[in-house]
């Protein structure tokens, strides 16, 4: 069964908002979604869903009315289609009824976030993936901190983090410098893929009766040193790729619907 047919068959599964078919063809589906907000208010979205290659579909407003024509911060692509998910994180290829149901649920959640963004003038999901190629480095950086501990990760990300790259042929060569709240936290040698001072106390803050066990060289069987290296390198490339992403939009106008936007 094709993706559009599967979506039609899964129309009324597991969501509160009413979805009405307005036009149905082999590769396209026009629907009216009467989006039900938490306060009970109904917002009518006129959407066009188009089958693309394989099991994928794209979706956009039929005519731009409720959403900006394009807004990377609100996850609306330059062609007006919605960026509902990151393919490396979740596969929403519509291969069966369950996947079609999940796709509808994802779309409804996306539209509800759009309504919150409209009201708060900021994207409500702080855990959203970064734009473009930056997402894979973001996932690697956050995964490294997860290995040390979720509470530790939350503590680090609540602070101001900056990673700079310094290219040199002197000494041990080029290195990454990690700053936390404006102060040098640690340094990573690029060539050796290790932290500069391994005899220092582990950055995770762990304590041990035997002092040597809580050093970066030995903490958590030497794994913490690796995780901090992975975090530094991937965090740096995450931010660099974000800059490259926004450079692509240089000269384009901000839609003005959010208070904070790199295009302003």
């Amino acid at each position: 069964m094709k993706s559009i047919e599967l979506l039609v068959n899964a129309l009324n599964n597991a969501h509160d908002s009413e979805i009405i078919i307005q036009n149905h063809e082999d590769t396209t589906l026009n629907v009216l979604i009467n989006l039900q907000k938490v306060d009970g208010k109904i917002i009518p979205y006129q959407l066009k869903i188009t089958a693309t290659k394989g099991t994928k579909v794209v979706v956009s407003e039929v005519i731009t009315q409720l959403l900006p024509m394009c807004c990377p911060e609100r996850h609306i692509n330059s062609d007006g289609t919605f960026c509902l998910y990151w393919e490396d994180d979740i596969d929403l290829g519509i291969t069966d009824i369950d996947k079609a149901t999940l796709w509808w649920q994802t779309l409804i959640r996306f539209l509800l976030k759009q309504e919150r963004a409209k009201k708060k003038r900021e994207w409500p999901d702080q855990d959203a993936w970064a734009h473009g190629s930056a997402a894979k480095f973001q996932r690697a950086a956050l995964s490294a901190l997860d290995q040390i501990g979720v509470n530790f990760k939350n503590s680090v990300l609540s602070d101001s983090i900056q990673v700079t790259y310094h290219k040199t042929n002197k000494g041990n060569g080029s290195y990454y410098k990690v700053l936390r709240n404006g102060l040098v936290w640690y340094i990573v040698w690029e060539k050796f893929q290790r932290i500069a001072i391994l005899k220092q106390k582990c950055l995770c803050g762990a304590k041990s009766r035997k002092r040597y066990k809580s050093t970066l060289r030995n903490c958590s069987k030497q794994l913490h040193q690796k995780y901090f290296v992975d975090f530094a390198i991937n965090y740096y490339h995450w931010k660099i790729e974000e800059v490259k992403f926004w450079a692509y939009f240089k000269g384009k106008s901000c839609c003005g619907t959010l208070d904070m936007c790199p295009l302003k």
Side-chain angles (χ1 to χ4, degrees):
M1 192 177 295
K2 295 181 179 179
S3 56
I4 294 295
E5 286 298 326
L6 287 167
L7 287 174
V8 171
N9 290 339
L11 254 184
N12 296 307
N13 290 359
H15 53 77
D16 296 328
S17 299
E18 179 187 33
I19 303 177
I20 301 170
I21 295 176
Q22 296 184 316
N23 186 51
H24 174 204
E25 298 179 7
D26 284 345
T27 59
T28 61
L29 180 65
N30 285 31
V31 297
L32 166 64
I33 297 183
N34 287 317
L35 185 72
Q36 182 172 328
K37 298 174 62 176
V38 176
D39 61 6
K41 186 177 180 180
I42 302 296
I43 308 296
Y45 276 88
Q46 302 268 359
L47 303 179
K48 180 179 181 179
I49 302 163
T50 304
T52 57
K53 59 182 180 180
T55 60
K56 308 296 184 182
V57 299
V58 294
V59 56
S60 62
E61 283 194 281
V62 175
I63 300 174
T64 302
Q65 293 179 320
L66 300 176
L67 300 174
M69 177 72 73
C70 169
C71 180
E73 287 293 81
R74 290 180 66 171
H75 302 275
I76 301 173
N77 299 318
S78 55
D79 62 356
T81 58
F82 304 161
C83 184
L84 297 180
Y85 61 99
W86 177 37
E87 289 188 6
D88 285 359
D89 178 51
I90 182 174
D91 180 13
L92 279 188
I94 302 169
T95 55
D96 53 34
I97 291 294
D98 289 341
K99 280 294 185 72
T101 299
L102 178 60
W103 188 90
W104 283 119
Q105 292 171 341
T106 303
L107 175 60
I108 295 297
R109 286 196 295 270
F110 177 84
L111 295 176
L112 288 171
K113 288 178 183 177
Q114 292 294 346
E115 289 301 312
R116 293 202 294 275
K118 187 187 306 181
K119 182 177 180 180
K120 294 184 176 181
R121 296 185 60 80
E122 65 177 5
W123 187 249
D125 187 359
Q126 299 303 313
D127 296 324
W129 290 114
H131 301 295
S133 300
K136 65 180 180 181
F137 295 108
Q138 176 191 15
R139 180 168 65 181
L142 298 183
S143 176
L145 290 184
D146 276 330
Q147 298 299 321
I148 299 170
V150 174
N151 290 336
F152 180 79
K153 180 185 78 172
N154 293 337
S155 173
V156 170
L157 296 181
S158 67
D159 292 338
S160 173
I161 300 295
Q162 182 183 8
V163 181
T164 56
Y165 177 70
H166 304 265
K167 189 173 182 64
T168 178
N169 294 320
K170 298 179 181 180
N172 287 320
S174 302
Y175 59 93
Y176 297 90
K177 182 188 291 184
V178 185
L179 293 88
R180 187 174 181 181
N181 293 329
L183 301 176
V184 176
W185 194 21
Y186 63 96
I187 290 173
V188 173
W189 299 121
E190 180 181 38
K191 180 179 178 180
F192 304 107
Q193 297 283 290
R194 70 169 176 81
I195 293 178
I197 305 174
L198 293 177
K199 293 182 179 180
Q200 66 178 303
K201 185 176 180 181
C202 185
L203 303 165
C204 73
K207 297 179 181 179
S208 174
R209 291 181 179 178
K210 297 181 178 180
R211 185 179 179 278
Y212 76 92
K213 286 190 175 183
S214 59
T215 62
L216 264 171
R217 186 186 299 278
N218 298 298
C219 192
S220 191
K221 299 181 180 179
Q222 302 180 4
L223 287 175
H224 277 191
Q225 194 270 150
K226 175 185 180 302
Y227 297 146
F228 280 111
V229 168
D230 289 346
F231 170 72
I233 295 173
N234 284 290
Y235 189 92
Y236 172 79
H237 289 288
W238 166 10
K239 298 305 176 181
I240 288 296
E241 290 301 318
E242 281 272 29
V243 170
K244 290 179 181 178
F245 174 86
W246 287 109
Y248 172 80
F249 287 91
K250 185 177 180 180
K252 296 189 177 182
S253 299
C254 174
C255 66
T257 61
L258 303 182
D259 289 332
M260 301 292 290
C261 175
L263 294 180
K264 286 186 174 181

